[in-house]
Amino acid sequence: MVELKKESFKGRDFIALNDFTSEEILHMIDVAARLKSESKAGIPHHILQGKTLGMIFTKSSTRTRVSFEVGIYQLGGYGLFLSDRDIQIGRGEPIQDTARVLSRMVDGIMIRTFSHQEVVDLAKYCDKPVINGLTDYLHPTQILADMLTIKEHKEKIKGLKLVYIGDGNNVANSLLLGGTKVGMDVVIAAPQGYKPVPEIMALAAQNAEASGGSAAVFEDPLTAAEGADILYTDVWASMGQEEEAAVRRKAFAGYQINDTLLKAAKPDAIVLHCLPAHRGEEITEEILEGPQSVVFDEAENRLHAHKAIMSLIM
């Protein structure tokens, strides 16, 4: 059974990686690794026996839903799926009312939605831990799984160069914040109009100064990829941006992880993608299915990372 350092985590919200210290982030990764090891060995870990997680989805999902629902079950608890079609929030009930009602019935809430402010407000009015399963601004649970995957394949995290190619979106934002917290060199390659916002870059710079990492933004993906330990990408048009797809395909032409880009990275570089992938757009079929891709290890690690989060804060 995994032993947890609960004191600094219990009852806290998991909204942004920047809310945690580098030591706390590394501890979460360590807990995730140990929970994964126990799962593979068939060792039960009912850390949350009898606990209930309410799971609010206003954005559909594969990995987030399955990982949290399976994860809370493996921890001995129960996950309650709540789509915006099933609860009153979808009919205009204020988030503060939903928060106060659910607080009296569940032991934790995970929400995956569009507006980041909605998550902040939910946490403000909820007296149980709230987990940010994704917003248009941040995707911190994904990045914890990414870090677990990187540590498994590189045996370390600090000092590695991670290069993200594409839209400066929620994944890029959370990579900048989380990566610089733990001493990584995080580089974003994005075209004009799609770079991370100045607020995120300023926070990443502060983190990097404290951890010994760095944060940078380039327009040329080939220059950015030089000497990379990790190449990472995401779709060019995220959920809710479907009407922009044609414009974005034109803007991101050339921002693709392919053989040319992979050759600019280190010979032993690994490739990440948060999925779902549009093969032939942001990444080629050959790279996604190739020997340097650890994309499906990364997807599996959502389960173990999310179990670590729930175990610690619930």
Side-chain angles (χ1 to χ4, degrees):
M1 175 72 73
V2 168
E3 293 182 8
L4 305 175
K5 296 177 182 176
K6 298 179 182 177
E7 292 74 17
S8 69
F9 292 94
K10 189 175 180 180
R12 289 174 65 180
D13 300 315
F14 187 89
I15 296 176
L17 286 170
N18 230 47
D19 297 333
F20 296 88
T21 67
S22 59
E23 292 77 15
E24 287 171 337
I25 294 170
L26 293 171
H27 180 64
M28 284 187 270
I29 295 166
D30 182 51
V31 170
R34 287 182 285 155
L35 287 170
K36 181 176 182 177
S37 178
E38 288 187 359
S39 289
K40 298 295 185 184
I43 301 170
H45 35 246
H46 294 166
I47 297 164
L48 299 180
Q49 184 73 46
K51 300 279 189 180
T52 301
L53 178 74
M55 304 184 300
I56 300 172
F57 286 86
T58 65
K59 273 191 173 185
S60 59
S61 168
T62 300
R63 281 150 291 276
T64 301
R65 178 175 178 182
V66 173
S67 58
F68 274 107
E69 198 160 335
V70 171
I72 188 68
Y73 171 78
Q74 291 184 358
L75 293 169
Y78 177 75
L80 186 63
F81 175 73
L82 306 167
S83 80
D84 59 350
R85 296 181 298 277
D86 301 321
I87 59 175
Q88 296 300 325
I89 199 172
R91 298 177 61 204
E93 180 175 63
I95 193 72
Q96 59 264 37
D97 292 357
T98 299
R100 286 181 285 211
V101 170
L102 291 180
S103 289
R104 298 180 181 218
M105 300 181 184
V106 301
D107 301 290
I109 299 173
M110 188 284 301
I111 179 169
R112 178 182 169 95
T113 189
F114 293 88
S115 167
H116 189 74
Q117 189 61 46
E118 195 170 40
V119 178
V120 173
D121 290 343
L122 182 70
K124 178 181 177 180
Y125 291 100
C126 182
D127 61 9
K128 299 293 173 60
V130 170
I131 299 168
N132 175 8
L134 172 143
T135 68
D136 287 344
Y137 186 57
L138 294 175
H139 196 359
T141 57
Q142 173 68 56
I143 274 58
L144 201 67
D146 298 339
M147 289 183 182
L148 173 60
T149 309
I150 291 165
K151 189 171 183 183
E152 286 176 340
H153 288 272
K154 292 295 186 182
E155 299 182 347
K156 67 174 186 176
I157 299 175
K158 186 178 176 65
L160 296 178
K161 181 180 179 181
L162 183 150
V163 178
Y164 172 92
I165 308 292
D167 188 19
N169 60 11
N170 50 5
V171 173
N173 289 344
S174 286
L175 284 169
L176 280 162
L177 296 181
T180 54
K181 271 278 183 178
V182 295
M184 298 184 78
D185 297 316
V186 182
V187 178
I188 307 296
Q192 281 290 349
Y194 297 95
K195 295 179 180 179
V197 295
E199 173 193 10
I200 290 290
M201 294 307 301
L203 289 171
Q206 291 175 14
N207 292 346
E209 186 175 356
S211 70
S214 65
V217 178
F218 289 83
E219 283 191 35
D220 178 23
L222 198 59
T223 301
E226 188 175 345
D229 297 288
I230 305 111
L231 290 178
Y232 196 128
T233 193
D234 190 9
V235 293
W236 292 340
S238 298
M239 196 179 303
Q241 298 172 333
E242 289 81 5
E243 292 183 1
E244 304 173 31
V247 173
R248 283 172 170 267
R249 273 194 293 272
K250 184 176 180 180
F252 289 104
Y255 288 83
Q256 180 190 70
I257 295 184
N258 51 31
D259 283 332
T260 302
L261 214 64
L262 192 58
K263 286 175 182 174
K266 289 182 180 176
D268 62 348
I270 58 173
V271 175
L272 298 178
H273 191 308
C274 55
L275 298 179
H278 293 168
R279 300 170 188 229
E281 288 191 3
E282 74 276 2
I283 190 168
T284 63
E285 175 91 16
E286 293 74 21
I287 299 300
L288 186 66
E289 296 289 356
Q292 288 169 268
S293 169
V294 296
V295 167
F296 295 102
D297 291 346
E298 177 188 11
E300 178 194 343
N301 282 338
R302 294 287 297 279
L303 170 63
H304 309 297
H306 297 174
K307 285 166 68 176
I309 295 166
M310 290 187 286
S311 297
L312 288 163
I313 69 173
M314 289 176 63

